[in-house]
Structures are given as C-alpha cells and as structure tokens.
Amino acid sequence: QTLSCNYCYTKCPKLELNDHSKKCTGLYSCEYCTSLINVNLKGAHYKECTHYPTKCKYCNQTTQRMLMDNHLKTCPEKPTKCNHCTRKFKFSKFEVHRCKIKTCTVCQEVCSVKEFKDHVKKHRCNVCKEDKIIGQPNYCKCKKRVCNSCAITCKCCDTIYCGNCENFKECDECDVRKCLNCTMKCNGCKKVVCMGCQSKTKFEINRCMICRTRRCNDCGYCQAH
C-alpha cells in the first residue's frame, strides 16, 4: 500500500512513510502565523513564533507570545509591590490598597510612615542639627554629615570639613583655616603654618633624634637634646 506525504505529496510505501517524513523537504504552513517553514523545523519554529499561544504564569490565561508583555502589565493575578510599604498585592486589588504615606517637606519625596524617620535623617546636618541637606551630602573627615552652610573647604586641597573639626587649623601667618594635610604644627610653641606661608616665612619642622618631638626652627632643639 502506498501513501502520499501530506507536505510534499511524494508517494511511498506505508512502511517507509515514517522514514520519509524525517527527511521531507516539504513546506508547512504554521497554523498560528501562516508562515511557510520546513516541516522538520516545525518544533523549532513554535519556540520562536510570535503568534504561538502561551500561558500566563500568574492567571493561566492563554495569549499570543507577542502580546504577553502587554498582558503582564495588567494581569489581575500578577503580584504588584507597593513603592512605599513594600508589601505585595494582586494587581486587581492594588488600587484598593491605601498605604499610609508622608511627604517630606525638604525634598517633597513621598514615603511611607515607616520609612519617614530614616528618610528625614538624610537631610539632617550633624553640626547645626537642621534639615538642610538636599541631594548628595558633604562628609567631613570626622565622618559628620554637614550642610553647605556648615561645610568649610580647605583653601589648598578643596577638602570639606565641618566647623568643629579638629582636623582643620588656622594658619598663624595668613589667618586662613586649612586642613592638617596642608599645614605644619610645632609641638613646642604650637605654631601652625600652612604650606603657602611656609616658603615665605622659611618655617621648618625638625624632629629631635632623641625624644622624637617635632619642633620648628624658632624653638630650636628640645631640652632632652
């Protein structure tokens, strides 16, 4: 008994039809997108076919593959996270959810009551204790968060310090406050001179070889020497 192939219409014995179908080069019209493909590539085509019916993992509704992204945006069973309280709800019940929120008076950002205390701390200056910080805060070397009003910038290296920081000293020559990295201090007379004034005043710091005390050239050597 001979049978005809459904794709290329080649006639072959019934016992050989199965072997023929594996090698058949006939074209097959996809029932979903009507594209003509090789019959042996039908399985691979289904995995990429944009019209192939796929099932939503949340509500089990079947829709075309190309429309699945749009479906997920409004799927009633999809878990949706609240941006304020971080709780998750089904999309169909999300609009009913009424989260307790507060609006920050500094940056106008809306956050939940639970997050509000931590949020306000971001605006709090550790020096003046006022909520003045907006955006990226300034951090002193002493780890304090300071606002623009309390921040002091070193005139040499542009490093930011707070007004109460011990890492910031006033030069005795030019009366300008600069950081410790840009100044030299004598442990004898306690005189502080910045790098800019050092060359003008010929201020030098030498360490005693015996007691290891740092003294300027005006103080001379320590008594231990």
Side-chain angles (χ1 to χ4, degrees):
Q1 184 181 2
T2 59
L3 297 175
S4 298
C5 175
N6 292 330
Y7 303 107
C8 66
Y9 304 108
T10 300
K11 292 183 178 181
C12 56
K14 181 178 180 181
L15 296 176
E16 298 178 4
L17 185 62
N18 188 38
D19 292 336
H20 167 78
S21 62
K22 296 178 181 179
K23 303 176 183 179
C24 181
T25 57
L27 296 179
Y28 164 76
S29 178
C30 176
E31 64 265 40
Y32 304 112
C33 66
T34 67
S35 298
L36 292 175
I37 55 174
N38 188 299
V39 63
N40 288 314
L41 300 177
K42 181 168 64 173
H45 170 73
Y46 283 162
K47 294 179 180 180
E48 300 177 355
C49 180
T50 57
H51 291 71
Y52 190 82
T54 54
K55 186 178 291 187
C56 175
K57 60 181 179 180
Y58 300 115
C59 66
N60 292 325
Q61 179 179 328
T62 301
T63 185
Q64 292 179 339
R65 181 177 281 124
M66 64 178 180
L67 300 177
M68 182 56 68
D69 288 341
N70 290 331
H71 167 75
L72 290 176
K73 293 178 181 179
T74 56
C75 177
E77 298 296 319
K78 180 184 176 182
T80 305
K81 184 178 180 181
C82 176
N83 293 330
H84 304 301
C85 67
T86 68
R87 294 173 61 190
K88 288 185 177 181
F89 303 88
K90 291 182 179 180
F91 186 81
S92 57
K93 298 181 179 180
F94 184 73
E95 293 183 357
V96 183
H97 168 62
R98 292 291 183 268
C99 185
K100 294 181 179 180
I101 58 176
K102 275 191 173 184
T103 302
C104 177
T105 57
V106 181
C107 64
Q108 307 304 316
E109 183 176 336
V110 178
C111 53
S112 67
V113 175
K114 184 179 179 180
E115 298 172 330
F116 189 72
K117 289 183 178 180
D118 292 333
H119 174 81
V120 172
K121 290 179 182 178
K122 298 177 182 179
H123 300 299
R124 183 67 51 84
C125 174
N126 297 141
V127 179
C128 64
K129 308 301 180 182
E130 295 184 17
D131 299 332
K132 292 182 177 181
I133 300 175
I134 300 177
Q136 191 68 22
N138 300 312
Y139 283 96
C140 174
K141 285 288 185 179
C142 64
K143 308 300 182 182
K144 289 182 179 179
R145 186 170 58 246
V146 294
C147 64
N148 292 333
S149 300
C150 298
I152 300 175
T153 304
C154 175
K155 300 300 181 181
C156 289
C157 62
D158 293 331
T159 304
I160 295 176
Y161 292 86
C162 66
N164 302 327
C165 189
E166 296 180 356
N167 294 320
F168 214 77
K169 301 295 181 181
E170 185 175 304
C171 175
D172 293 326
E173 296 293 335
C174 62
D175 297 330
V176 177
R177 301 192 71 184
K178 298 181 181 180
C179 67
L180 293 184
N181 294 331
C182 299
T183 56
M184 299 179 70
K185 180 181 178 181
C186 174
N187 290 336
C189 63
K190 307 301 180 183
K191 185 177 182 179
V192 177
V193 178
C194 67
M195 297 300 183
C197 297
Q198 180 187 6
S199 58
K200 298 177 183 179
T201 59
K202 297 182 180 180
F203 181 82
E204 293 182 1
I205 295 289
N206 296 303
R207 188 184 295 275
C208 177
M209 299 301 294
I210 297 177
C211 66
R212 309 300 295 170
T213 303
R214 292 172 59 88
R215 287 175 173 262
C216 67
N217 48 351
D218 292 336
C219 292
Y221 296 107
C222 66
Q223 296 298 325
H225 194 277

